[in-house]
Amino acid sequence: NLRNQNLFAFLCSHEIFNDVCSDVVAQAVTADKESGGILHLDWRRVGRSTSAAVISDDFPFLAWSRGLWSASEAAVAWVHASNMSPLLAGWLTNPLVVAFIKMATTQLIYEPVSSAGFLSINALMKGGGLRACYREIKAKLMTAWKDGLVYWSCAHMVVFLMPVWWLQPLADNVATLFFNAYLSVLANKAIDDEDGDGNGNGDGDGDGSDQHGVDGTLGLVG
């Protein structure tokens, strides 16, 4: 049907829309209170955050969730076909147990790699080099992983309990909308300039994009 024929395009467009909204939300919640209700959106920052999210999370999670789905389906079929006791087989193939294994694997492997990618790509797109990427990861990755531990543990249990695969990235997008807003705030937060090189300005490109943008404004009365 039409949905299946355009499923990949639908999922990608949904993810990109969420990524744009995430950075807009991040800029809104960190805007200066003296702005008089006008949100000065930095569109270059929106572009950076969206690009970083697409590369580090959107496409990778499509592949990751699809791989986990296929692997779990094969594992469940193998357990049912084995000589395992019915009680143990039933426990191992319980949807809650399967979802928990997927969630734990995602928390331990996927999430730190994805967050590291987001922070690194942001640093590179601000004009920083490998040193800037290293400083971002060193200063912020553990914080991002720990802050997301409870959030993603709960969210991914819901995600991996979805009965069909294509619902999983959709459910993940809803949770990602809020977490990517957090990551955007974190990625644009200043790092103490321990090396004395004058680059610990949070944004790293000298455009002050962690405060106000220069590419346009969006009037939001707050």
Side-chain angles (χ1 to χ4, degrees), residues 143-156:
T143 298
W145 185 77
K146 288 191 298 184
D147 286 349
L149 192 59
V150 174
Y151 179 81
W152 278 122
S153 295
C154 298
H156 277 149

Side-chain angles (χ1 to χ4, degrees), residues 2-86:
L2 184 62
R3 187 199 66 216
N4 291 333
Q5 291 173 355
N6 300 278
L7 183 58
F8 182 73
F10 169 70
L11 291 175
C12 289
S13 61
H14 188 266
E15 289 175 335
I16 292 171
F17 175 77
N18 271 271
D19 295 337
V20 172
C21 291
S22 291
D23 193 71
V24 172
V25 170
Q27 293 192 47
V29 299
T30 56
D32 289 343
K33 295 181 179 180
E34 295 81 10
S35 60
I38 302 298
L39 173 60
H40 297 263
L41 277 179
D42 181 353
W43 291 106
R44 285 183 295 178
R45 171 175 158 172
V46 172
R48 284 196 305 266
S49 294
T50 300
S51 299
V54 168
I55 297 170
S56 68
D57 184 48
D58 292 351
F59 291 149
F61 190 79
L62 285 176
W64 176 265
S65 62
R66 184 65 183 181
L68 286 181
W69 175 273
S70 299
S72 64
E73 290 289 293
V76 167
W78 178 85
V79 169
H80 283 309
S82 69
N83 295 324
M84 208 173 290
S85 70

Side-chain angles (χ1 to χ4, degrees), residues 123-134:
L124 287 172
M125 294 186 72
K126 293 174 192 174
L130 294 178
R131 187 181 182 188
C133 293
Y134 171 76

